[in-house]
Amino acid sequence: MEAANTTRVTVFVLQGLSNNPHIQIVLFVIFLVIYLLTLTGNLLMLLVIRTDSHLHTPMYFFLSQLSFLDAFYSSVIVPKLLENLLSKWKTISFLECFTQIALVIFSGATEACLLSVMAYDRYQAVCHPLLYVVTMNKKVCAGLVGASWAIGMGTGLLNTILLAQQHFCGPNLIRSFACEFPPVLLLTCSDPYISIASILTTMVVLGLGTLVLLLGSYTHIIMTALGINSASGQNKIFSTCSSHFLVVTIFYGSGVFRYMTPASGSGLEQLLSVQYSVVTPLLNPLIYSLKNQEVKAALRRMLARKPRLTF
């Protein structure tokens, strides 16, 4: 009865990264540049993969999905962050906040699935090269991508709906620069048992499930590579998989530190959130473009093409 008589929160206030106007201007410029570079890098990766026939393979099909997802995820977080850095009142509506939470969970879950699918693709290419074309045909690739997106959507909707059912009566200060699950959960006035059980189940089932698939795939890849007598053959395998392995390490490393530590609004937590939400989507296209010889060759071919202009 007491909960029914209290006022329900309709607007949240984001703590942000700093209250100093001068620092806010500097941060605005830095994050704007990072955001523009993120969009440029990921959209350029999409364009190169789309236009270069040499990259029309399962590996780069999955990479194009990852690039699109990184551009999408960055657009969920950064525009609101930029707006708040220039605003005196850093408010966000209840609906907007929970929409952001749903999209953040969706992006993270989908990326975890895509990374495990990419590891499975490399496993098939390295360990079963003669059956690779048959095993990873267009129908299978489309199904794996569709399943990744569906799992992400279901995970995001389920956890967000359960959290939205909680009662929020105040305070309404979110100790972060964005609406994320851990800091918003701290604001609930009702028993958050169901929401906690839901997000923990998601992290255990989805997080550990994709991690096991990743580790299993790379264990077989490494064993196969070590069994090859040719040094050039080993180098080719490791160079092909090194970019993906580095992306996986950054994603899971920053994600574990961000979501497995208690939400407190500390400086370290804010730094981890920035790295996970803002910097990581920029790193992925840079890693794949700088470490992948095929992508670099495709970029050179695209830049070398003469524009066909008619007057």
Side-chain angles (χ1 to χ4, degrees):
M1 294 298 293
E2 290 181 4
N5 293 330
T6 56
T7 304
R8 185 177 178 86
V9 170
T10 57
V11 176
F12 292 102
V13 178
L14 296 169
Q15 177 178 279
L17 296 171
S18 174
N19 293 322
N20 188 311
H22 300 291
I23 295 179
Q24 287 180 346
I25 295 297
V26 173
L27 291 175
F28 176 85
V29 174
I30 292 174
F31 290 138
L32 178 60
V33 171
I34 292 176
Y35 180 56
L36 294 177
L37 290 175
T38 300
L39 290 183
T40 302
N42 284 290
L43 294 180
L44 181 60
M45 188 69 71
L46 279 170
L47 179 63
V48 171
I49 294 172
R50 176 75 175 177
T51 58
D52 196 297
S53 59
H54 296 83
L55 302 183
H56 291 176
T57 63
M59 173 182 173
Y60 293 104
F61 172 65
F62 297 135
L63 178 56
S64 68
Q65 298 293 316
L66 183 64
S67 295
F68 176 80
L69 188 64
D70 282 334
F72 174 82
Y73 179 52
S74 183
S75 298
V76 170
I77 297 293
V78 182
K80 187 63 180 180
L81 170 60
L82 294 174
E83 176 190 333
N84 286 340
L85 285 172
L86 297 182
S87 302
K88 183 178 181 181
W89 307 107
K90 298 173 174 53
T91 58
I92 184 170
S93 68
F94 187 91
L95 178 60
E96 188 179 3
C97 180
F98 279 85
T99 299
Q100 191 174 65
I101 291 174
L103 294 178
V104 167
I105 297 175
F106 155 72
S107 300
T110 304
E111 182 155 347
C113 292
L114 281 177
L115 290 174
S116 64
V117 166
M118 293 173 73
Y120 175 73
D121 171 70
R122 291 299 84 205
Y123 158 73
Q124 290 292 344
V126 172
C127 301
H128 306 285
L130 298 179
L131 298 175
Y132 178 69
V133 176
V134 177
T135 305
M136 300 301 294
N137 57 61
K138 289 184 178 180
K139 186 176 181 180
V140 171
C141 293
L144 290 172
V145 167
S148 298
W149 286 85
I151 291 172
M153 290 179 185
T155 302
L157 285 174
L158 175 63
N159 285 282
T160 305
I161 289 174
L162 290 176
L163 181 61
Q165 297 303 311
Q166 301 294 324
H167 189 78
F168 296 89
C169 58
N172 64 343
L173 176 63
I174 298 175
R175 297 184 179 278
S176 179
F177 58 86
C179 279
E180 296 179 291
F181 195 98
V184 173
L185 184 64
L186 292 176
L187 303 181
T188 180
C189 299
S190 53
D191 186 358
Y193 170 78
I194 296 179
S195 291
I196 294 175
S198 173
I199 196 67
L200 287 178
T201 302
T202 297
M203 294 177 67
V204 171
V205 174
L206 186 59
L208 288 182
T210 55
L211 187 59
V212 167
L213 183 56
L214 280 161
L215 294 177
S217 297
Y218 274 105
T219 299
H220 283 87
I221 289 172
I222 292 171
M223 291 175 63
T224 301
L226 294 177
I228 297 176
N229 295 326
S230 171
S232 61
Q234 291 182 352
N235 291 334
K236 184 178 180 180
I237 292 175
F238 287 128
S239 64
T240 302
C241 300
S242 61
S243 298
H244 180 255
F245 186 76
L246 182 56
V247 169
V248 167
T249 303
I250 294 173
F251 175 79
Y252 276 90
S254 57
V256 166
F257 278 110
R258 175 63 188 92
Y259 285 95
M260 294 301 289
T261 55
S264 61
S266 64
L268 177 60
E269 183 181 334
Q270 297 279 42
L271 181 62
L272 289 172
S273 293
V274 169
Q275 192 275 322
Y276 183 77
S277 305
V278 181
V279 180
T280 297
L282 171 63
L283 293 179
N284 290 351
L286 289 177
I287 291 171
Y288 277 107
S289 61
L290 293 177
K291 293 182 65 62
N292 192 298
Q293 297 298 326
E294 291 181 326
V295 172
K296 288 193 286 187
L299 278 170
R300 286 193 294 267
R301 285 193 293 269
M302 187 180 71
L303 295 175
R305 290 174 189 166
K306 295 181 179 179
R308 299 178 180 178
L309 298 177
T310 56
F311 297 94

